Amino acid sequence: MRVGALLAWPLAWLGFACLGSLAGLFLTAVWRVDPFTGDIVREFSFDNFRTIWEEDVYRRVTLRTVGLAAAVTVTDALLALPIAYYMARIASPRTRAILVVAILTPLWASYLVKVYAWRIILAGQGPLNWALEPFGLTGPGYTTTGTWLVFSYLWLPFMILPIYAGLERIPNSLLEASSDLGARGLGTFRRVVFPFAFPAIVAGSIFTFSLTLGDYITPQLVSSTQFIGNVVYANVGVAGNLPFAAAYSLVPVAIMIVYLILARRLGAFENL
């Protein structure tokens, strides 16, 4: 009873804030805007969802956003795995502590400060082009590639930390047994290390994928390409079509529900 009383109010608030907001989002999504008056017509209709499904532009935006989220997730996984492995299995306790602080420090900085810093780096007269100019090369500029670079930087710590936690749990006896049985480094990694790391990679991908999927500030600052977040933001603030914005914002919610179901089947939540 004490535990129930202690958790009742936080759980009630969580249910109200999360489930209530989702219910309100879905309710708004089935309304529509009168094309003549611009007023919201509170009548049940699937017109917004039909527009999202039938209009080719919204399908392209959705596929572009999902593709970018997948690219950022794969990039961060490839970068995070060797870093996390070095931290968990090779580095000394002092070096490990320094690396953990180095990874966590960027999380203390403001999100906008980091994005604006990358905006300066990617600018036409920015440091990146200045460094590449002697080699006859140019940076990606304010393009989708630049957006991919910024997202990969922003969410990399969210991938490193779960993988580090997963690799740290590998008993040394398993690695020693693998070596005693004649397995070389690559074989040990494939049969011992990677099975432990894979659920942690999936757990980290939940953060990198979902954060990229719903972000609109970074694409707006370092790219002119439209993503789901930009379309939702434009319909809320510029077009004033709140029902359509609510309907389109349910697309990443549905994608993440499917993604979380797959992540659960792959054992990701065991490492959270």
Side-chain angles (χ1 to χ4, degrees), residues 140-221:
Y142 299 149
T143 61
T144 303
T145 303
T147 307
W148 163 70
L149 287 174
V150 177
F151 274 137
S152 298
Y153 162 77
L154 289 174
W155 313 140
L156 183 59
F158 296 97
M159 181 67 79
I160 293 177
L161 295 177
I163 298 178
Y164 165 69
L167 293 177
E168 197 176 30
R169 298 174 184 173
I170 302 177
N172 291 328
S173 58
L174 289 181
L175 302 179
E176 295 172 358
S178 177
S179 178
D180 292 341
L181 292 173
R184 297 183 178 181
L186 184 59
T188 299
F189 177 83
R190 180 167 56 88
R191 298 184 177 182
V192 179
V193 175
F194 188 73
F196 276 89
F198 183 71
I201 294 174
V202 178
S205 72
I206 294 174
F207 297 102
T208 58
F209 190 83
S210 63
L211 291 172
T212 305
L213 199 65
D215 197 292
Y216 73 94
I217 297 177
T218 295
Q220 188 170 343
L221 292 178

Side-chain angles (χ1 to χ4, degrees), residues 13 23 53 83 89 91 104 106 108 111 124 133 145 150 179 195 208 220 236 245 249 256 271:
W13 170 250
W53 178 259
I83 297 174
R89 313 305 310 178
L104 291 176
W108 300 345
Y111 169 86
E133 186 177 1
T145 303
V150 177
S179 178
T208 58
Q220 188 170 343
V236 171
S249 64
M256 280 310 304
N271 293 275

